[in-house]
Amino acid sequence: DGGITQSPKYLFRKEGQNVTLSCEQNLNHDAMYWYRQDPGQGLRLIYYSQIVNDFQKGDIAEGYSVSREKKESFPLTVTSAQKNPTAFYLCASSTGQPMNTEAFFGQGTRLTVV
Amino acid sequence: KNEVEQSPQNLTAQEGEFITINCSYSVGISALHWLQQHPGGGIVSLFMLSSGKKKHGRLIATINIQEKHSSLHITASHPRDSAVYICAVRYNQFYFGTGTSLTVIP
């Protein structure tokens, strides 16, 4: 079955360490997205990619980096420059066009930095 | 940018009650999603709508494109429905509401 997989579901890291969150899809979707959720707030866009080898900053990209070397994969690295990395991270994917066709969401990764 | 507003923010219901959660958005969209998030848990996609109405079990989702409004209904609510329900609209990227926290009391 096709789908989008985020791993791990829960992740703990020490302050100052970089950490990479995985997002893989086997849906042949062109577009992939990373969002962050903080308590009491809506999900906010970190980065998105509409095509392989291309990605764009979202609203809160500072302290994060991404790569899109393969269509199936869009890993997010939370760097030590991110001041408040503890949050819930959500990956999504969608077909590029038309816009009202399918979109899928990962289950999310809850990152805790101690 | 698309502003997405959900109401109510918090909702407590007795088991068996009919529940409605509302979502309004500001800009024309291509699709709207309803998502469910259990406490400490991940995201589950419930519906994707671009028009009309969809039903899955006790859940019903409707959308009115002209009024830029969608509703999620839960019939015969059950304590296991307790979760945060999130509305997301797709307009180039996804824009999310802040969620409705539902508690169903036995």
Side-chain angles (χ1 to χ4, degrees), chain A residues 9-10 33 35 37 40-43 45 50 59 88 90 92-96 98-103 105-107 110, chain B residues 1 30-31 33 35 37-45 48 50 84 86 88 90-98:
Chain A
K9 190 172 180 181
Y10 299 97
Y33 313 80
Y35 289 85
Q37 183 187 47
Q41 294 193 39
L43 289 136
L45 182 66
Q50 301 280 22
D59 301 320
F88 177 80
L90 181 69
S93 73
S94 66
T95 56
M99 293 287 281
N100 64 345
T101 49
E102 65 179 17
F105 298 89
Q107 282 221 337
R110 199 164 293 274
Chain B
K1 185 173 178 177
S30 55
H33 297 259
L35 311 174
Q37 185 176 32
H38 284 281
I43 295 281
V44 175
S45 184
M48 186 191 86
S50 53
V84 174
I86 300 170
R90 188 172 168 198
Y91 180 74
N92 296 323
Q93 52 155 301
F94 295 98
Y95 295 89
F96 296 83
T98 54

Side-chain angles (χ1 to χ4, degrees), chain A residues 6 12 15 22 47 58 60 70 80 86 91-92 99 108 114:
Chain A
Q6 282 187 249
F12 296 86
E15 193 172 346
S22 170
Y47 269 98
I60 55 167
K70 297 185 299 182
S80 56
T86 294
C91 179
M99 293 287 281
V114 296

Side-chain angles (χ1 to χ4, degrees), chain A residues 14-102:
Chain A
K14 289 186 178 180
E15 193 172 346
Q17 289 182 336
N18 290 358
V19 60
T20 297
L21 310 184
S22 170
C23 180
E24 305 274 335
Q25 53 97 1
N26 61 0
L27 301 157
N28 201 34
H29 283 174
D30 288 310
M32 297 185 75
Y33 313 80
W34 275 106
Y35 289 85
R36 169 185 170 134
Q37 183 187 47
D38 293 286
Q41 294 193 39
L43 289 136
R44 294 178 291 165
L45 182 66
I46 306 172
Y47 269 98
Y48 66 101
S49 168
Q50 301 280 22
I51 197 168
V52 174
N53 292 322
D54 186 48
F55 48 83
Q56 311 293 331
K57 290 183 179 181
D59 301 320
I60 55 167
E62 187 175 348
Y64 299 97
S65 66
V66 292
S67 64
R68 188 86 188 275
E69 296 176 3
K70 297 185 299 182
K71 192 174 190 177
E72 304 79 32
S73 178
F74 190 42
L76 173 74
T77 297
V78 185
T79 75
S80 56
Q82 170 48 236
K83 299 296 181 213
N84 298 295
T86 294
F88 177 80
Y89 292 88
L90 181 69
C91 179
S93 73
S94 66
T95 56
Q97 294 289 343
M99 293 287 281
N100 64 345
T101 49
E102 65 179 17

Side-chain angles (χ1 to χ4, degrees), chain B residues 20-51:
Chain B
T20 296
I21 300 170
N22 296 299
C23 175
S24 298
Y25 51 93
S26 58
V27 180
I29 61 170
S30 55
L32 182 144
H33 297 259
W34 281 103
L35 311 174
Q36 181 192 56
Q37 185 176 32
H38 284 281
I43 295 281
V44 175
S45 184
L46 299 175
F47 294 104
M48 186 191 86
L49 294 161
S50 53
S51 64

